[in-house]
Amino acid sequence: MKTRAYKLSGCVLLAVVFFFGFQSPAWGQFGKLGGLLKKGKEIAEKEDKKDPAKQDKTKKQETKSPTKASEGEIVFSKSPFDPKTKKPNLTNTFKASDNIYATISLKESFETLAKGSSKIHVEVKCYLDGKGENRGGFSIAVTKDALKKKVLVMGVAPAPDKMKCYDDPNVIYQKQFDKYGKRGGPMQLTKMLSTLPAGKHTIKLVLYRYKVLAEGEFTIEGKNFKKPYEKLFKALEAEKTKSVQMAKPKMKDAKLEAAMVEALKASHVKAAKEGEILKVVIIDPDWHLRRHKISGKILFRYIRTEVALKEKSGPCWQWRFVFKQEYIGDKFQKTKLHGIGDRKK
């Protein structure tokens, strides 16, 4: 009976706390009971603050634009900036056709992450509308002086004359869809934006290497993404092509160059067989000998080139090829294609 009485009195006290505690702040008029009432309300308010479900949902959904680039974050802006010298005008809200720039800030340098290696590869993952599928992801190789960096300024959809991320030879963006001349970075991300349907979208970028190194997201909204970003992609492509120049020749040999053209025309490279070979530049000062590992006998010699090649119904390429001449008897034989390297539009 005593147990039931205690339970009943406890329930009555709880009811009084809830009735009076939330109806009147005049705790003093209730004496000791007023103190209990006040304490009860304070405990209830404290618990509410701990419970995310009881927070204001509108406040929870608000996404404020960052005011600075913090370590371990990717932040965005409508104009490029140098984090060392300029105050960034950051935002994470964009409209279709806006130019978009991203700044990746790391907690430690690439050199520290590389742990003694001369090159490090990191991956940029791109997630659309909260889905787990990696859309438009690519890798970046960082080497030499760039290893000391803790910040990368990268375009997402930059203005053509402000696309600078490809200029550093020590920060190499992975080639993607090479047939069409696209590369990881702004070329690929701009192309991805052009495929979005009308509406509002969330884009999340993550820099990853065994773990998340930095991340950030922005929203973009519009009725038409294809028209502005397809146009921008073509402008970026044209701007990127302007900077591509043939290397200076290290050797000039008209007879050998003619033999190289003949070898390309006889090869399996369709673009070379059907297209027009405009120029051959030999980029080695001399041949390299390849010998047998045991006997030391000469097997063949090879030399590297850059070739300007125009496809029959397509773009013009700066293409690297390696040619060789086999050593049979006591002389070198006819020039043949030995290897196919990178190409730039």
Side-chain angles (χ1 to χ4, degrees), residues 296-312:
K297 180 183 177 182
I298 297 174
L299 300 175
F300 60 88
R301 64 181 182 179
Y302 69 91
I303 198 165
R304 299 174 301 159
T305 67
E306 274 187 5
V307 176
L309 191 158
K310 175 72 172 66
E311 287 191 45
K312 184 178 181 180

Side-chain angles (χ1 to χ4, degrees), residues 109-120 142 147 209:
S109 68
F110 288 106
E111 190 172 38
T112 302
L113 292 167
K115 296 180 179 178
S117 297
S118 59
K119 180 186 286 189
I120 183 174
V142 183
L147 286 170
R209 188 176 189 268

Side-chain angles (χ1 to χ4, degrees), residues 246-258 260 279-287 303-307 321 323:
M246 298 294 288
K248 292 181 179 180
K250 296 290 183 66
M251 176 197 295
K252 290 187 178 181
D253 186 328
K255 186 176 179 181
L256 176 58
E257 291 164 15
M260 290 171 172
K279 188 175 183 179
V280 175
V281 176
I282 301 172
I283 60 175
D284 283 324
D286 204 348
W287 291 89
I303 198 165
R304 299 174 301 159
T305 67
E306 274 187 5
V307 176
F321 294 101
F323 294 89

Side-chain angles (χ1 to χ4, degrees), residues 48-65:
D48 282 351
K49 289 179 181 179
K50 290 181 180 179
D51 187 356
K54 295 183 179 180
Q55 301 298 315
D56 185 348
K57 290 184 179 180
T58 58
K59 288 184 179 179
K60 184 179 178 181
Q61 292 174 354
E62 285 178 359
T63 304
K64 294 182 179 179
S65 294

Side-chain angles (χ1 to χ4, degrees), residues 76-78 91-101 126-129 156-157 189-190 192-204 217-226 228-229 232:
F76 306 93
S77 62
K78 294 181 182 180
T91 181
N92 54 19
T93 304
F94 297 89
K95 297 291 184 183
S97 80
D98 280 345
N99 291 122
I100 306 172
Y101 301 85
C126 178
Y127 299 102
L128 175 64
D129 295 331
V156 174
L189 291 172
T190 301
M192 183 274 292
L193 289 174
S194 73
T195 66
L196 296 180
K200 186 175 183 178
H201 302 280
T202 300
I203 309 290
K204 182 176 182 179
E217 67 178 41
F218 64 89
T219 61
I220 185 166
E221 186 174 10
K223 294 181 179 179
N224 188 320
F225 287 85
K226 181 174 177 60
Y229 288 119
L232 179 58

